[in-house]
Amino acid sequence: MKSRKSGVLLHISSLPSDFGIGDMGKGAYVFADFLASAEQSVWQLLPINPISAASGNSPYSSFSAFAGNPLLIGPDLMVQDGYVSWNDLVRAPAFESARTDYDRASVFKHHILDIAYERFLHTPDPECRYEAFAKDNAHWLDDYAMFVCLKEHFGGAPWNEWPKDIRDRDPSVLNAWGRKLADRISREKFCQFLFFRQWFGLKAYCNRKKIEIIGDIPIYVSYDSADVWANPQYFKLDEDKKPSLVAGVPPDYFSETGQLWGNPVYCWNRLKETSYSWWLDRMEHNLRLFDRVRLDHFRGFVAYWEVPVTEKTAVNGKWVEAPANEFFSTLLRRFPTLPIIAEDLGVITPDVKEVMTTFDMPGMKLLLFAFGGDTATNPYIPHNHVANSIAYTGTHDNNTVKGWYVNDASDSERKNVTSYYGRAVEADDVAWLLIRSVMMSVA
């Protein structure tokens, strides 16, 4: 981070769209034009992986750490590519323009992708773009497509409840199911082809306008995912392939019982034996998608809180040291620039700060955290920012600035805001006040 730049954190699903959810179509390009006209040079996103209603449609809980979310495919761009017609789109439901309707958007997008796939099957592809995509991404795409189709076949059951020979990935059995589900698997791969075709088109457009894309990598993956099903050896599972230890964070001032996330924790010793090959593949994939990435829950790469799966809260967990220096040194050898932002919010211990310093990784400074306690020493207050950091008003985990000021801030925090800026602060101008503070920060 050798140059100052600024931009907006906005997930694709929040963009304007006629199809129930923001996508990579016209709205995304209009937003990129807006950023460029406003002389902004950063667009930060949340994870763009597949989501599911069972996990609250959270992009931090996905069937795959590699695949893209088909709901973010832009139908208008599918028309340009000849996969659907405008007549197909006029039958879309009348979606509410201001809110995402995941259920109805999912039904509509599924229908449109079915039409696109049928036309694709009967459309010549002289450049073999689909075949090239499938070959280049086979290391994750084959397992993901098989996983999604098997999960659908077994009524949505988690993979550990599938027949044992499929759960344990018996090669002959998987080959037989691959033949049985061949058309469905091909459709799933085609959807991924469309997603990444649109994504790289949008990224190239942004880069041409000097806009850098920042992605987001959750540290953990979902247990019910293609990643764990295909690579169980890299996670702490029992003999029945169920998690034996799960991730979370210990009790703190946010929660007396901590947070029990339930993701399986990594078996770092096994990862080390392969020179962290799975993580190298994951990082390489993401650095193709983005110009820079934020590592969520960065402290978990230094030491992580693991909890026995039998526990109901995170209280009875323990800290386990991770091989941070060796791991990041391995990444640095593969990716010499290592363009990583460390999500270092919350209680950060000296060992985490040391790793960030060693590998020159910028951290995050949130202004919504700046007005609690003593503003003279608060690390998030603008006068205490350091150059190698990224300053935000807030993130996706927070209310809006105005919403925070009106509904969430304590009386003492509002008093600190008034005292810090030396004047009465109204709800309608507090956001611009904090934005101005970010712009004046040395971050």
Side-chain angles (χ1 to χ4, degrees), residues 13 31 37 40 60 103 128 151 172 174 189 236 247 293 303 306 348 377 381 400:
S13 60
F31 182 67
S37 67
Q40 303 301 293
Y60 292 90
D103 292 339
C128 299
K151 189 170 182 63
S172 62
L174 289 186
K189 291 182 178 182
K236 293 185 179 180
V293 293
E306 70 174 22
I348 298 300
T377 58
I381 204 77
T400 62

Side-chain angles (χ1 to χ4, degrees), residues 24-34 77 198 201-203 205:
M24 296 181 286
K26 178 184 176 182
Y29 287 81
V30 170
F31 182 67
D33 290 341
F34 157 72
L77 298 188
Q198 291 194 4
L202 176 60
K203 181 178 184 294
Y205 185 82

Side-chain angles (χ1 to χ4, degrees), residues 409-432:
S410 65
D411 290 341
S412 64
E413 285 178 311
R414 279 190 284 269
K415 183 178 179 181
N416 282 340
V417 170
T418 299
S419 176
Y420 192 74
Y421 293 108
R423 65 177 177 83
V425 178
E426 302 296 331
D428 286 341
D429 69 333
V430 66
W432 287 112

Side-chain angles (χ1 to χ4, degrees), residues 13 19 37 225 273 330:
S13 60
F19 306 109
S37 67
S225 67
E273 290 170 1
T330 302

Side-chain angles (χ1 to χ4, degrees), residues 168-370:
D168 295 342
R169 298 176 57 83
D170 181 296
S172 62
V173 174
L174 289 186
N175 286 336
W177 276 96
R179 292 189 293 272
K180 183 177 181 179
L181 300 173
D183 184 64
R184 183 69 186 84
I185 289 171
S186 175
R187 179 198 180 277
E188 204 61 44
K189 291 182 178 182
F190 170 73
C191 291
Q192 291 301 306
F193 164 71
L194 273 188
F195 176 92
F196 286 105
R197 176 175 167 79
Q198 291 194 4
W199 170 256
F200 284 115
L202 176 60
K203 181 178 184 294
Y205 185 82
C206 290
N207 288 168
R208 285 196 298 273
K209 290 182 171 288
K210 310 301 183 186
I211 298 167
E212 174 181 306
I213 305 293
I214 299 178
D216 197 332
I217 302 180
I219 179 174
Y220 294 117
V221 297
S222 299
Y223 169 68
D224 192 21
S225 67
D227 310 292
V228 182
W229 175 61
N231 306 281
Q233 69 275 20
Y234 298 145
F235 302 89
K236 293 185 179 180
L237 309 180
D238 63 22
E239 59 186 15
D240 293 322
K241 302 287 180 68
K242 296 179 181 179
S244 56
L245 295 156
V246 294
V249 289
D252 56 21
Y253 49 81
F254 291 115
S255 172
E256 293 180 356
T257 58
Q259 298 178 38
L260 191 62
W261 297 333
N263 307 78
V265 293
Y266 294 106
C267 186
W268 282 103
N269 288 338
R270 291 283 183 85
L271 287 164
K272 181 178 179 179
E273 290 170 1
T274 67
S275 298
Y276 309 103
S277 60
W278 183 84
W279 261 106
L280 288 171
D281 288 344
R282 187 182 185 189
M283 188 61 67
E284 182 174 28
H285 181 71
N286 277 276
L287 291 180
R288 287 179 58 235
L289 298 178
F290 311 111
D291 300 297
R292 191 176 297 277
V293 293
R294 185 190 88 135
L295 284 186
D296 195 33
H297 191 56
F298 183 82
R299 74 140 302 114
F301 289 97
V302 181
Y304 57 93
W305 188 253
E306 70 174 22
V307 186
V309 73
T310 53
E311 293 291 326
K312 302 300 182 185
T313 72
V315 171
N316 294 320
K318 66 176 182 179
W319 287 111
V320 179
E321 188 175 342
N325 284 297
E326 182 182 61
F327 172 63
F328 286 114
S329 294
T330 302
L331 290 185
L332 195 58
R333 284 193 292 273
R334 174 74 77 87
F335 314 106
T337 57
L338 203 58
I340 286 174
I341 297 168
E343 186 274 289
D344 60 340
L345 305 176
V347 179
I348 298 300
T349 50
D351 55 344
V352 179
K353 295 177 182 177
E354 183 179 345
V355 170
M356 290 174 60
T357 300
T358 298
F359 294 96
D360 199 28
M361 295 176 183
M364 297 173 61
K365 305 295 183 184
L366 264 63
L367 258 66
L368 293 194
F369 293 171

